[in-house]
Amino acid sequence: MGSAPAKKAAPARKAASAKKAAAEQSAVVAKPPKVESRTALVRRARRINRELAEVYPYAHPELDFENPFQLVVATVLSAQTTDLRVNQTTPTLFANYPTPEDLAAANPEEVEEILRPTGFFRAKTKSVIGLSKVLTEEFGGEVPGRLEDLVKLPGVGRKTAFVVLGNAFGRPGITVDTHFQRLVRRWRWTDETDPDKIEAFVGGLFPKSDWTDLSHHVIWHGRRICHARKPACGACPIAPLCPAYGEGETDPEKARKLLKYEKGGFPGQRLNPPQAYLDAGGRPAPPLGAG
């Protein structure tokens, strides 16, 4: 008779323990409400950016470049490939054709052979030679610093133009690449799918002065933690602010194995990264053929 209450107490303790664990988990991952005011959205979006700035204080464009011409060419080449592959390819390209005038007069077949590792090399050759000709003939061999001029260059759209404006000229712009599009929708900043509409809406959530760094923070997070197919939710520093928490791996140990950034022992995309990145423990990428 005396043992009967004990048998009932065990399930009760188990239920209480499970309820406590669930409460602790919900406290850690407190999802924003399904209906969110614009004011609340602005606050949450800006807090996410602040958190990412602490995680990636050295975030930077991951294309190697020394001047605006190199950046615009490298950005055009980055379509449908990785920044790492572009960085491994452009040293030879710029060694042979250091100026727009040089590339404008290049033999297309020779340029194609250099660009072959980046994929779609014939179309990219046409674009970089074409934009070099326009720079030479219409802009005195200089990359213009205005959006309306940049988008006139072959192969250059708004995304590429904002990369150049923000990183070569210090003029704020939002780079809506595939990572940026995926994450801002995953975070429910916007439901838009058109890049121009995403750019306009997200831009309205932040001061203009934040736009360029915001782009770097979001893109770095998309490449390293918040992956398309299997985000590392259990290792994500902004999990408490993310309405999509749980779409990926939530177990902390398993999630850590999904990380693809330098703290996990991986090099960055650049062969010649900024000093701040190196000081933080980041490693340069290997040159082409080195691994």
Side-chain angles (χ1 to χ4, degrees), residues 68-86:
F69 171 63
Q70 290 187 359
L71 180 57
V72 71
V73 169
T75 307
V76 169
L77 297 179
S78 69
Q80 303 298 314
T81 191
T82 63
D83 287 355
L84 171 57
R85 182 60 69 184
V86 174

Side-chain angles (χ1 to χ4, degrees), residues 66-254:
E66 296 179 356
N67 54 56
F69 171 63
Q70 290 187 359
L71 180 57
V72 71
V73 169
T75 307
V76 169
L77 297 179
S78 69
Q80 303 298 314
T81 191
T82 63
D83 287 355
L84 171 57
R85 182 60 69 184
V86 174
N87 291 338
Q88 292 172 326
T89 305
T90 51
T92 300
L93 179 70
F94 295 138
N96 290 333
Y97 312 104
T99 69
E101 292 83 358
D102 295 323
L103 192 51
N107 181 329
E109 292 182 357
E110 294 177 0
V111 176
E112 286 179 1
E113 194 57 34
I114 295 173
L115 301 184
R116 187 180 293 272
T118 68
F120 302 95
F121 58 92
R122 291 190 180 89
K124 291 179 180 180
T125 294
K126 184 177 179 180
S127 291
V128 298
I129 289 179
L131 72 84
S132 297
K133 288 180 178 178
V134 174
L135 290 176
T136 300
E137 296 169 2
E138 299 184 21
F139 296 100
E142 298 291 334
V143 175
R146 300 194 310 165
L147 175 65
E148 54 268 38
D149 291 330
L150 284 169
V151 295
K152 294 177 182 177
L153 302 177
V156 177
R158 289 179 67 88
K159 183 188 82 171
T160 297
F162 281 129
V163 170
V164 175
L165 289 173
N167 298 291
F169 293 100
R171 297 175 184 172
I174 292 179
T175 303
V176 185
D177 73 347
T178 55
H179 299 289
F180 194 96
Q181 293 182 50
R182 183 179 77 252
L183 266 61
V184 298
R185 289 198 296 269
R186 185 172 276 172
W187 294 334
R188 294 184 192 164
W189 287 4
T190 179
D191 292 325
E192 297 289 354
T193 57
D194 178 78
D196 291 350
K197 292 181 179 179
I198 291 174
E199 174 201 321
F201 188 86
V202 173
L205 302 177
F206 294 87
K208 195 171 182 179
S209 58
D210 288 352
W211 288 356
T212 300
D213 284 342
L214 168 70
S215 300
H216 293 323
H217 298 153
V218 175
I219 292 169
W220 274 57
H221 194 61
R223 286 177 170 173
R224 289 156 170 79
I225 297 180
C226 196
H227 314 306
R229 294 185 180 178
K230 200 169 185 180
C233 294
C236 180
I238 60 166
L241 302 170
C242 181
Y245 176 85
E247 286 186 8
E249 180 58 64
T250 57
D251 180 84
E253 289 300 321
K254 292 180 180 179

Side-chain angles (χ1 to χ4, degrees), residues 5-19:
K7 290 180 180 179
K8 292 181 180 180
R13 285 196 299 271
K14 186 176 182 180
S17 178
K19 185 174 182 181

